[in-house]
Amino acid sequence: MTTQVPVLPPDADQAAVNAALEASGAVILEAFLDAQVLAAFNAELDGIFAAEAGRRRGFANDAIAEFFGDKVGHVAGLAGKSPMFVQHVLCHPRYMECCEHFLKPRCSDYQLNIAHVMERGPGCEAQLIHRDAWVWRRMPPDMGEIQLASLIALTDFSADNGGTLIVPGSHRWGDDRYPEPDEALATEMPAGSAVIYLGNTFHAGGANTTADQVRRGIHVSYTLGWLRTEENQCLATPPDIARALPRRAQQLLGFGIHDDIELGGGYLGTVELEPPYAALAGQGATGD
């Protein structure tokens, strides 16, 4: 069994990234965001967190509230709030290349599943070790990969401040095996790095045992274009923002259709039998 998470430089060949994900279920990519983008992104997020300060965070149900706990700060619906996310993260070439390899064989196109910034504060307990793909539990067991997920470190990640726990090699385990505590390894990586993992890889947010460190990271994941996403991007991204986005960004956010080429064309997700971006275009869309 793989016993560590591979670490690759930012200029690693995509074949090496794919091989690491296939072997370990996860890979750490150094300098996923460069220093200038990282600083600007964090500054923008500081403003968003400040604007949402005091807002009572609601959750879909009690289980989700318990999963996150009361010491985690959240910014959800990021595509509708953060131009930096749309410009530098949503269509990041590394994400697109990984999705082409791992998701595209099972769909005509993939889509953004969720983009969610979390600040794990002091005293935050570790999450339940889980698979993100459990969201779609009713999928056939032989379906293969249906999700590509990641955590981008916006501050340094360490074993003490809640660095994401990864169980290397667990993407190949059957449903009858669950990780032992000592099989989960904390990702320790500098701000700007990212750990990319497959939807069937066991992982969890780590415990923050520090007295004064807040670990900020952004969870970004993609899934098959014909699956329902965790986050409803078309509602989370207001039309006046969505209509100004490039066409590829609109498609990733659910404003396209899932067009089944093997059937000669399809139309999952239409508005008046047209792609949703056509409805945006009627309001002055500039996507191309």
Side-chain angles (χ1 to χ4, degrees), residues 91-251:
C91 301
H92 194 293
R94 190 67 82 180
Y95 282 144
M96 300 298 95
E97 290 167 340
C98 289
C99 287
E100 287 288 323
H101 181 81
F102 289 98
L103 302 183
K104 195 68 178 289
R106 279 165 288 283
C107 60
S108 296
D109 200 7
Y110 41 87
Q111 60 185 329
L112 180 71
N113 176 51
I114 191 170
H116 178 192
V117 178
M118 287 174 280
E119 291 190 334
R120 300 185 69 77
C124 183
E125 297 181 353
Q127 292 176 340
L128 171 75
I129 298 178
H130 62 283
R131 285 171 160 160
D132 282 348
W134 279 349
V135 171
W136 302 280
R137 274 184 178 271
R138 290 171 175 81
M139 294 294 290
D142 60 350
M143 183 67 193
E145 296 302 334
I146 61 174
Q147 183 187 36
L148 182 91
S150 68
L151 260 295
I152 304 174
L154 300 179
T155 57
D156 293 346
F157 276 30
S158 72
D160 294 332
N161 72 8
T164 303
L165 303 173
I166 296 286
V167 183
S170 60
H171 61 307
R172 296 186 175 179
W173 295 0
D175 291 339
D176 58 345
R177 183 174 178 188
Y178 187 79
E180 298 295 331
D182 61 357
E183 292 181 294
L185 307 179
T187 53
E188 300 195 270
M189 55 187 181
S193 299
V195 57
I196 297 178
Y197 59 93
L198 300 176
N200 284 314
T201 301
F202 278 105
H203 67 286
N208 188 336
T209 60
T210 70
D212 56 2
Q213 293 183 33
V214 175
R215 191 227 74 177
R216 176 185 284 181
I218 171 176
H219 173 64
V220 183
S221 75
Y222 300 82
T223 192
L224 309 183
W226 48 269
L227 283 176
R228 184 169 176 84
T229 57
E230 291 182 76
E231 190 169 47
N232 190 322
Q233 302 298 336
C234 288
L235 287 178
T237 311
D240 60 335
I241 292 176
R243 74 169 62 99
L245 299 180
R247 178 57 47 78
R248 187 58 182 139
Q250 292 175 338
Q251 291 170 328

Side-chain angles (χ1 to χ4, degrees), residues 254-259 266-279:
F255 291 94
I257 61 171
H258 191 265
D259 189 355
Y267 49 92
L268 292 180
T270 63
V271 175
E272 293 292 334
L273 302 179
E274 294 185 309
Y277 57 69

